[in-house]
Amino acid sequence: MFWKYFSFEAKLLIKSKKMWLVSFLLILFFPIYFMIYSQADTYSLYHEKYAEGDMMNSIFNYIQEDLEENNEELHRNLLEQNSIINFQKYYLGAGSDHEAYVESMPELIELRLEVHEIGYDEIPDHLIVPREEVEKDDAIISYIDNNNIPLQAEGVTTNSYMIAAFTFLSGIYFYFIVLLSSSDSLIYERHHRTVMNGFPISFMKKILSKVTLHFLFIFTSLTIGALIGLFYSSKQTEFGHFMYPVLFYSNGEFHAIATWEYLLLIIVAYVVITIFTLLLTLLLNLILKNAYATILVALGILLIPTLMTQVGIESPLQLFIQFIDITSVMSGELEITTNLNYTHAITWLTIGSIILTFAIYIVHKLNYINFNWSSQQERSARSD
């Protein structure tokens, strides 16, 4: 009987115009985003090195003439940095020697870290590369060097685009798409009891069926869209290297992992976030019994705690909100606690999904008890 119900639900889902709208949103997102990304993102390593060269020139224009006498060690360090950066501009440009660039980076990283040890009171902070950025460069270059991966000097490649696309989709956009797809999952069943009661299966099996079907529909659309985006971008630009390193924040430090591994972690997170959001929507359906109210309240759960923190009011819901924007957790942009990382996010979202499942069961039981009590009261009133 479960599979008959599952098949019936699947047919309803396929006939739903709203679900096809959600599907098109996910499928069209990737090629459309590539058009925007390829035009707006002009980053290249060559341009970055020229910017660093300009920064060194600003330092030498700013510092006092007597720096060489007062802080000889800092002066020597800055001259060496400037020399290496000029060589790197040549390696990335006319010299076309990416291996030499990679080989020169450890020395530049060491010199930049040394500046923080020496002290730079004579120079404004904005003209010195922060220690965190230096450590990020160290992680990337060490990974490239240890794994013998070719340097990716251009910013617009297929592998970088895929990470940018999933990062942009992460958070409120993906959350809203899942909300939109499942906002009336139980509302439809409530309005068509005569049809749905033809399948005498337990309520929790119906919940399992709905979560599974919406999950499959969303991820099928997401997969198709990603493959179209992958194919389209590979035709328009360089494919890149999916072993190329991406920075991953964990336990207060940045680590470099392969692009394919980073994307796999994002997909796993999307799976957990989708299940969590679907269960949250079903719970709100049970309580509010209105599709529009479900969307508004679910968006409020996401946005209100974040707005409250802007005025200094801490909310326990903030933790879940940060976890839903998983790519910001992975990149280290959102750090609520010193131990915040990807593993904690997945663990807490999984625990949240289990709690929501129990909540759905309890609310259903309470509704069932209230319905029976009301029916009993009506029958008693009629008999009197």
Side-chain angles (χ1 to χ4, degrees):
M1 186 57 70
F2 172 78
W3 292 110
K4 286 184 179 179
Y5 178 81
F6 188 86
S7 175
F8 181 75
E9 281 273 7
K11 290 176 183 177
L12 290 178
L13 210 62
I14 291 171
K15 291 179 180 179
S16 171
K17 293 180 181 178
K18 183 189 68 174
M19 291 307 297
W20 283 110
L21 172 63
V22 170
S23 179
F24 280 123
L25 283 174
L26 281 172
I27 291 172
L28 293 177
F29 165 77
F30 287 92
I32 291 173
Y33 182 75
F34 176 77
M35 295 176 192
I36 299 169
Y37 176 77
S38 59
Q39 293 175 6
D41 195 312
T42 57
Y43 160 83
S44 74
L45 205 52
Y46 184 69
H47 292 143
E48 182 182 309
K49 284 298 154 182
Y50 259 90
E52 289 180 5
D54 292 339
M55 187 173 71
M56 293 306 300
N57 291 334
S58 297
I59 290 174
F60 287 116
N61 290 332
Y62 183 87
I63 59 178
Q64 302 292 331
E65 294 181 1
D66 58 352
L67 177 64
E68 186 175 0
E69 297 177 5
N70 296 337
N71 198 335
E72 183 180 348
E73 191 176 6
L74 178 60
H75 188 263
R76 174 196 55 78
N77 181 297
L78 295 173
L79 288 174
E80 289 183 20
Q81 282 193 51
N82 192 48
S83 175
I84 292 171
I85 290 170
N86 286 330
F87 272 112
Q88 288 181 336
K89 287 193 289 187
Y90 171 75
Y91 296 147
L92 294 171
S96 189
D97 191 347
H98 290 178
E99 289 185 12
Y101 172 86
V102 173
E103 290 172 1
S104 68
M105 274 302 293
E107 185 179 358
L108 180 61
I109 288 168
E110 187 178 342
L111 288 168
R112 285 175 170 172
L113 288 174
E114 190 180 86
V115 167
H116 291 276
E117 300 298 329
I118 297 169
Y120 51 90
D121 294 339
E122 302 88 346
I123 304 169
D125 288 345
H126 70 274
L127 294 178
I128 297 296
V129 180
R131 183 185 290 273
E132 185 180 275
E133 294 302 318
V134 179
E135 290 172 352
K136 288 180 182 180
D137 288 340
D138 187 28
I140 293 290
I141 290 299
S142 296
Y143 185 97
I144 292 172
D145 191 32
N146 294 335
N147 293 277
N148 296 316
I149 298 170
L151 183 70
Q152 188 170 289
E154 294 300 320
V156 183
T157 56
T158 298
N159 64 311
S160 65
Y161 151 72
M162 292 304 294
I163 289 200
F166 277 103
T167 299
F168 185 85
L169 185 62
S170 174
I172 189 170
Y173 297 109
F174 187 68
Y175 180 75
F176 177 74
I177 286 172
V178 179
L179 280 181
L180 185 63
S181 74
S182 58
S183 60
D184 60 350
S185 296
L186 292 176
I187 306 299
Y188 181 88
E189 185 160 326
R190 184 167 172 267
H191 290 164
H192 300 81
R193 285 186 189 278
T194 53
V195 176
M196 308 307 281
N197 285 342
F199 299 93
I201 63 173
S202 69
F203 177 77
M204 293 311 292
K205 284 185 177 180
K206 290 182 179 181
I207 294 296
L208 175 63
S209 172
K210 291 177 186 297
V211 170
T212 303
L213 281 169
H214 280 84
F215 174 83
L216 290 174
F217 201 96
I218 289 167
F219 264 79
T220 300
S221 303
L222 189 67
T223 302
I224 293 171
L227 290 174
I228 291 173
L230 189 70
F231 176 78
Y232 180 71
S233 63
S234 64
K235 293 294 182 182
Q236 300 295 319
T237 187
E238 293 181 17
F239 193 75
H241 204 305
F242 277 79
M243 279 295 294
Y244 202 75
V246 181
L247 289 169
F248 177 72
Y249 182 82
S250 178
N251 295 326
E253 296 180 356
F254 285 96
H255 307 275
I257 62 174
T259 300
W260 70 265
E261 188 178 353
Y262 192 87
L263 288 171
L264 180 61
L265 290 173
I266 291 177
I267 294 300
V268 171
Y270 271 35
V271 169
V272 178
I273 291 166
T274 301
I275 293 171
F276 175 84
T277 309
L278 288 172
L279 289 169
L280 175 62
T281 309
L282 290 170
L283 177 61
L284 291 175
N285 264 193
L286 271 177
I287 297 170
L288 302 174
K289 300 178 176 59
N290 184 284
Y292 299 109
T294 295
I295 293 176
L296 288 174
V297 171
L299 286 174
I301 290 172
L302 179 69
L303 297 174
I304 291 174
T306 305
L307 294 174
M308 288 170 65
T309 57
Q310 299 298 317
V311 294
I313 302 173
E314 294 295 329
S315 167
L317 286 174
Q318 185 186 2
L319 189 64
F320 277 123
I321 302 316
Q322 304 285 2
F323 289 159
I324 286 172
D325 190 2
I326 194 65
T327 54
S328 292
V329 174
M330 294 170 70
S331 65
E333 292 178 20
L334 297 177
E335 184 179 0
I336 311 168
T337 67
T338 55
N339 295 319
L340 175 67
N341 59 33
Y342 177 86
T343 305
H344 292 136
I346 298 302
T347 301
W348 280 107
L349 285 170
T350 302
I351 292 171
S353 298
I354 295 170
I355 292 170
L356 286 172
T357 303
F358 278 109
I360 288 170
Y361 177 79
I362 292 168
V363 171
H364 169 66
K365 283 296 181 183
L366 290 174
N367 287 344
Y368 181 75
I369 292 169
N370 287 335
F371 176 77
N372 284 342
W373 184 82
S374 298
S375 300
Q376 207 170 39
Q377 290 293 104
E378 285 181 11
R379 285 195 296 269
S380 298
R382 287 173 185 173
S383 62
D384 291 343

